[in-house]
Amino acid sequence: MKEIKGGITAAKGFKAASCAAGIKYKDRTDMAMVYSEKEAVCAGTFTTNRVKAACVKWDMLVREKGVAQAIVVNSGIANACTGKEGFDACESVAKAVSDELNVDSDKVIVASTGVIGMQLPVDKLVAGVRTMAGNLDDSIEAGTASSKAIMTTDTVNKEIAVSIEIDGKEVIIGGMCKGSGMIHPNMCTMLAFLGSDVAITKELLQEAVSEVVNDTFNMITVDGDTSTNDTFMLLANGMSKASITSKGKDYDVFRDALMYVCRNLAMRMAADGEGATRLFEAEVVNAKCKEDARTLSKAIVGSSLSKAAIFGRDANFGRFLCAMGYSGAEFDEADVELYFVSKAGRLKVFDHGVPLEFDEEEAVRIMSEDAVTVYVNMNEGEEQATAWGCDLTYDYVKINADYRS
Amino acid sequence: MKEIKGGITAAKGFKAASCAAGIKYKDRTDMAMVYSEKEAVCAGTFTTNRVKAACVKWDMLVREKGVAQAIVVNSGIANACTGKEGFDACESVAKAVSDELNVDSDKVIVASTGVIGMQLPVDKLVAGVRTMAGNLDDSIEAGTASSKAIMTTDTVNKEIAVSIEIDGKEVIIGGMCKGSGMIHPNMCTMLAFLGSDVAITKELLQEAVSEVVNDTFNMITVDGDTSTNDTFMLLANGMSKASITSKGKDYDVFRDALMYVCRNLAMRMAADGEGATRLFEAEVVNAKCKEDARTLSKAIVGSSLSKAAIFGRDANFGRFLCAMGYSGAEFDEADVELYFVSKAGRLKVFDHGVPLEFDEEEAVRIMSEDAVTVYVNMNEGEEQATAWGCDLTYDYVKINADYRS
């Protein structure tokens, strides 16, 4: 596997476009479209929030059939808590795509991100669809522009593409995501869209997606708030002619590449959490079971107090142990070892129930890096998990104290 | 029932003392002692955090026997994650009380609050016990001084006392609490100690405590972090001669007064959350069941995004609905009505699944009060619950980015 340039348009047959539809932001693009030349099988996961945005409800119907050919995304307004009018808006947008691109409207994925509880300006979105349909382009630049159009409080756009070989042919997976606040996915992240030119059944694709999302997007948190709009969608259009029809070596190669892509996007999403100054990783090893390892690592990166300590470069390790304690996982602190790890070094601070003396200056040095890991050895079993988050900063408060204006 | 002056020393037979033992803070008191002239039955609840402070483990043994006569509390160091040395420290402190006051050491409650993962300076604590044993006093001022000694990042001390009549005799319940950060009690709050001169069995006392704590201290959250040290203890020494031996009218009078005392302390604890500028209350009515009402109201006040919106006086009601959606409770947003309420007025913003147009200036005016309520009518049943929290501010981050220094 090798990483290549670009994002979703790197995969064969995928085109993208973006435009400034004037939905809520001024002087920036706020709509993106992705189009596959051929119909693609699709697999995805959605928010577990009981309050689901209208577009999530729409996309769940698309996923059920498992075939898609276009994605339309807007930023600015989330189209959540908008009742029947919100669902009708999804239908109007899909219908516009259908008219422009001769795609069945039930094969159009729609997604929104932004303020909850506000109706979409449907006319603007339909006009945006028309503009974008005329500008679809398979260049890397078009993919990048579309990844920028779906940003809200994100500070950087996030895309990636990899190339693998399956069945003697090159297969590409490319994708983009956005997400900065209200990030505590419990299915997937805020919004992530991937395209691949592999040929695969929708059942195998869904299986790979579910497995990968659990270990990547579902292991990040920014603020513990599970959005109403979380959507992960992968379209596979088969244009590489490389085909996966059953589990085995080829499936594994594809799944591993998908894991790489999703982990990369998920970590960048965590690092770009609202107001974040650094990536905060928790690696829990030798846990009794996989579920415990996941629970413990997510509790560590999810704790406000832990996140504030990471911001302050304060090796206040008791907060991490405290978070593990209320996570719900069973363990005995007398078994636990805890380290702070970064590029600058590795420092043990807690050993089998006993706090260690350590050099505070060394701790600050380690915690000053862009990425800081809390490494916890449970000494109880053989399972491990990694979760990603970010620090809690003044800017998180600033961004969210008046997000609507 | 009437509210009277003072705190824990208002109840007959309770004395208090405090001192500056120099544990961690400079130029302030950091130890408190409460002493009952007669042995008291005791009831309490503790943190559900799997990582329990040494003092919690100690107090659980005291509660099992159900008899106590003294409480010793220190601030500065939490004595959590301290292994055998930490438990031995509890024993040394209890032993010192036993020596000074002729109280069985297994009837001494010890509690700590402060940094986790640091050993207590036992010699200083023992010296503090000796000082305080000589200064015990039943004045209101002594009670107030002890409530100040147990503060950490609290900005105000919190105590209350009420007088009720049972069996023709005056019964008093007085108490104090502290708590500002790491507040998401799942048994009780950080630290709360109450004394009463009622005569009651330990079984009835525990029953009243469990019921009341569930509706009061367990309904507040500051940051979602359940501390390793949460302790609620109520001592009843019988010195009023008023006796409760079974459920009935007298028990109800006592339980209701206890509810009043605990709700008052809990709300003040939430309002004094780290960095808080206002009390944030969520009242959920007409829910399907009590458990749902609790879950929904706690999710609303627990959401970082909701808390930031309260700080910014931003009527971004979608965040509250979003939090309800991921709370785990089942409901249909099409049934829900949502209002912002404060002394300045009442504003409906969401009605049966549909966002309403509202006057932003009026919203800001309502949300600028010291206490803001999000009032949610589920229109599904008849149960209700109220939860309390506070806003998320720059100061929360500031306080916690370097709490140890």
Side-chain angles (χ1 to χ4, degrees):
Chain A
M1 188 192 69
K2 66 173 193 285
E3 215 171 299
I4 60 175
K5 272 200 172 175
I8 197 159
T9 55
K12 255 187 228 73
F14 285 91
K15 297 179 173 180
S18 51
C19 73
I23 294 164
K24 183 158 176 291
Y25 302 123
K26 305 242 176 293
D27 305 322
R28 57 158 279 190
T29 56
D30 55 4
M31 280 190 85
M33 180 186 275
V34 174
Y35 170 74
S36 169
E37 286 175 26
K38 293 198 175 176
E39 280 190 359
V41 297
C42 72
T45 57
F46 302 100
T47 182
T48 53
N49 195 312
R50 179 151 290 269
V51 178
K52 289 177 176 36
C55 46
V56 169
K57 293 174 188 169
W58 175 273
D59 292 343
M60 290 173 94
L61 299 175
V62 176
R63 185 186 59 169
E64 216 171 288
K65 296 191 179 160
V67 182
Q69 197 166 0
I71 305 172
V72 176
V73 194
N74 76 274
S75 54
I77 295 178
N79 195 12
C81 298
T82 47
K84 184 175 178 305
E85 188 178 338
F87 193 80
D88 290 347
C90 299
E91 195 164 8
S92 301
V93 169
K95 182 76 174 37
V97 175
S98 175
D99 292 345
E100 295 293 323
L101 297 173
N102 198 25
V103 169
D104 295 343
S105 64
D106 62 356
K107 290 170 187 160
V108 177
I109 293 161
V110 296
S112 300
T113 172
V115 177
I116 298 172
M118 196 179 277
Q119 299 292 355
L120 282 174
V122 178
D123 292 350
K124 289 184 180 175
L125 269 83
V126 167
V129 166
R130 292 202 180 116
T131 305
M132 293 188 293
N135 293 329
L136 284 166
D137 189 315
D138 64 3
S139 68
I140 286 176
E141 291 69 27
T144 301
S146 67
S147 76
K148 287 181 177 166
I150 64 172
M151 289 163 60
T152 54
T153 49
D154 305 63
T155 65
V156 289
N157 68 314
K158 301 162 196 85
E159 47 176 358
I160 182 176
V162 299
S163 160
I164 50 178
E165 197 181 295
I166 288 180
D167 198 14
K169 302 174 190 80
E170 182 184 36
V171 166
I172 290 172
I173 307 174
M176 59 178 170
C177 70
K178 70 79 52 190
S180 193
M182 212 180 263
I183 302 288
H184 184 76
N186 207 341
M187 263 336 300
C188 73
T189 182
M190 192 72 171
L191 295 180
F193 304 105
L194 277 69
S196 176
D197 41 25
V198 74
I200 188 169
T201 65
K202 73 171 183 177
E203 290 76 18
L204 281 174
L205 191 64
Q206 184 64 47
E207 190 172 338
V209 162
S210 296
E211 183 185 342
V212 165
V213 166
N214 262 341
D215 274 337
T216 55
F217 289 108
N218 280 352
M219 293 304 288
I220 66 172
T221 182
V222 168
D223 49 19
D225 282 279
T226 302
S227 158
T228 51
N229 287 53
D230 292 344
T231 300
F232 173 99
M233 273 290 186
L234 168 55
L235 274 60
N237 66 9
M239 288 180 72
S240 68
K241 310 281 186 205
S243 177
I244 301 173
T245 51
S246 64
K247 286 203 168 183
K249 191 177 147 291
D250 288 346
Y251 174 85
D252 289 347
V253 168
F254 177 76
R255 198 246 351 253
D256 290 351
L258 186 61
M259 187 75 83
Y260 178 88
V261 163
C262 291
R263 185 181 296 127
N264 178 292
L265 289 173
M267 286 175 69
R268 283 154 72 186
M269 198 177 296
D272 191 29
E274 285 180 340
T277 68
R278 54 180 62 93
L279 177 69
F280 170 21
E281 179 179 79
E283 190 175 349
V284 171
V285 302
N286 298 324
K288 264 204 294 281
C289 61
K290 186 76 177 172
E291 199 45 41
D292 276 6
R294 278 191 219 274
T295 302
L296 291 162
S297 55
K298 279 196 87 165
I300 293 171
V301 298
S303 152
S304 292
L305 287 167
S306 297
K307 289 155 59 72
I310 294 289
F311 175 51
R313 303 176 299 166
D314 178 12
N316 197 341
F317 64 88
R319 291 183 181 171
F320 306 93
L321 291 163
C322 175
M324 291 165 60
Y326 65 68
S327 70
E330 288 195 13
F331 67 95
D332 187 341
E333 78 242 39
D335 295 328
V336 174
E337 297 168 87
L338 194 147
Y339 303 74
F340 289 103
V341 184
S342 78
K343 268 191 253 168
R346 182 180 183 86
L347 182 67
K348 191 170 186 172
V349 292
F350 189 71
D351 186 18
H352 287 89
V354 179
L356 302 179
E357 299 275 332
F358 59 87
D359 179 355
E360 291 279 353
E361 278 181 28
E362 190 187 351
V364 168
R365 200 166 48 77
I366 288 171
M367 297 181 77
S368 297
E369 292 291 319
D370 283 348
V372 174
T373 300
V374 171
Y375 179 91
V376 185
N377 188 340
M378 305 300 293
N379 290 302
E380 288 185 318
E382 295 181 341
E383 293 297 333
Q384 65 177 76
T386 305
W388 299 278
C390 58
D391 51 350
L392 174 62
T393 69
Y394 302 120
D395 279 350
Y396 177 84
V397 178
K398 187 171 180 183
I399 290 165
N400 285 301
D402 195 10
Y403 169 56
R404 290 190 311 160
S405 64
Chain B
M1 188 191 70
K2 65 171 194 286
E3 217 172 297
I4 60 174
K5 272 200 172 174
I8 197 160
T9 56
K12 255 186 225 78
F14 285 91
K15 297 179 173 179
S18 51
C19 73
I23 294 163
K24 185 157 174 293
Y25 303 123
K26 305 242 175 293
D27 306 321
R28 58 158 278 191
T29 56
D30 56 3
M31 280 189 84
M33 180 186 275
V34 174
Y35 170 74
S36 170
E37 286 176 26
K38 292 198 175 176
E39 282 189 359
V41 297
C42 72
T45 58
F46 301 99
T47 182
T48 54
N49 196 313
R50 179 150 291 268
V51 177
K52 289 177 176 37
C55 45
V56 169
K57 293 175 187 168
W58 175 273
D59 291 344
M60 289 173 94
L61 299 175
V62 176
R63 184 186 60 168
E64 215 172 288
K65 296 190 179 161
V67 182
Q69 197 166 1
I71 304 171
V72 177
V73 193
N74 75 275
S75 53
I77 296 178
N79 195 13
C81 297
T82 46
K84 185 175 178 304
E85 188 178 337
F87 194 80
D88 290 347
C90 299
E91 194 163 9
S92 300
V93 169
K95 182 75 174 36
V97 175
S98 175
D99 291 346
E100 295 293 323
L101 296 172
N102 198 23
V103 169
D104 296 342
S105 64
D106 61 358
K107 291 170 186 159
V108 178
I109 293 160
V110 295
S112 300
T113 172
V115 177
I116 298 172
M118 195 178 277
Q119 299 291 355
L120 283 173
V122 178
D123 291 351
K124 289 183 180 175
L125 269 82
V126 167
V129 166
R130 292 202 181 116
T131 305
M132 293 189 293
N135 291 330
L136 284 165
D137 189 316
D138 63 4
S139 68
I140 287 177
E141 291 70 26
T144 301
S146 67
S147 77
K148 287 182 177 166
I150 64 172
M151 288 162 60
T152 53
T153 49
D154 305 62
T155 64
V156 289
N157 67 313
K158 301 162 196 84
E159 49 177 357
I160 183 177
V162 298
S163 160
I164 50 179
E165 197 182 295
I166 288 180
D167 197 14
K169 303 175 189 79
E170 182 185 37
V171 166
I172 290 171
I173 306 174
M176 59 178 169
C177 71
K178 69 80 50 189
S180 193
M182 211 179 263
I183 302 288
H184 184 77
N186 206 342
M187 264 335 302
C188 72
T189 183
M190 193 72 171
L191 295 180
F193 304 105
L194 277 68
S196 176
D197 41 26
V198 74
I200 189 169
T201 65
K202 72 172 182 174
E203 289 77 17
L204 281 174
L205 192 64
Q206 184 65 47
E207 190 172 337
V209 162
S210 296
E211 184 185 342
V212 165
V213 167
N214 262 341
D215 275 335
T216 55
F217 289 109
N218 280 353
M219 292 304 287
I220 67 172
T221 182
V222 168
D223 49 18
D225 283 281
T226 302
S227 157
T228 50
N229 288 52
D230 292 344
T231 301
F232 173 98
M233 273 290 188
L234 168 55
L235 275 58
N237 66 11
M239 288 179 71
S240 68
K241 310 280 186 206
S243 178
I244 301 173
T245 51
S246 64
K247 286 202 168 183
K249 191 179 146 289
D250 288 345
Y251 174 85
D252 290 347
V253 168
F254 178 76
R255 197 241 359 249
D256 290 350
L258 187 60
M259 187 74 83
Y260 178 88
V261 164
C262 290
R263 185 180 296 127
N264 178 291
L265 289 174
M267 286 175 69
R268 283 154 72 187
M269 198 177 297
D272 192 28
E274 285 179 340
T277 69
R278 54 180 61 93
L279 178 68
F280 171 21
E281 180 179 78
E283 190 175 349
V284 171
V285 303
N286 299 324
K288 264 203 295 281
C289 62
K290 187 77 178 172
E291 198 46 40
D292 276 7
R294 279 190 219 275
T295 301
L296 290 162
S297 55
K298 280 196 87 165
I300 293 171
V301 298
S303 152
S304 292
L305 287 168
S306 297
K307 290 154 59 72
I310 294 288
F311 174 51
R313 304 177 297 167
D314 177 13
N316 197 341
F317 64 89
R319 292 183 180 171
F320 306 94
L321 291 163
C322 175
M324 290 165 61
Y326 65 69
S327 70
E330 288 195 14
F331 67 95
D332 187 341
E333 79 240 39
D335 295 328
V336 174
E337 297 168 88
L338 195 147
Y339 303 74
F340 289 102
V341 184
S342 77
K343 266 190 258 170
R346 182 180 183 85
L347 182 67
K348 190 171 186 172
V349 292
F350 189 72
D351 186 18
H352 287 89
V354 180
L356 302 178
E357 299 276 331
F358 59 86
D359 179 355
E360 290 280 354
E361 278 180 31
E362 191 187 351
V364 169
R365 199 167 49 77
I366 287 171
M367 297 180 77
S368 297
E369 292 291 319
D370 283 348
V372 174
T373 300
V374 171
Y375 179 89
V376 185
N377 188 341
M378 305 300 293
N379 289 303
E380 289 186 317
E382 296 182 341
E383 293 297 332
Q384 65 177 75
T386 305
W388 300 277
C390 59
D391 51 350
L392 175 62
T393 70
Y394 302 119
D395 280 350
Y396 177 84
V397 178
K398 187 170 180 182
I399 290 164
N400 285 301
D402 194 12
Y403 169 59
R404 290 191 312 159
S405 64

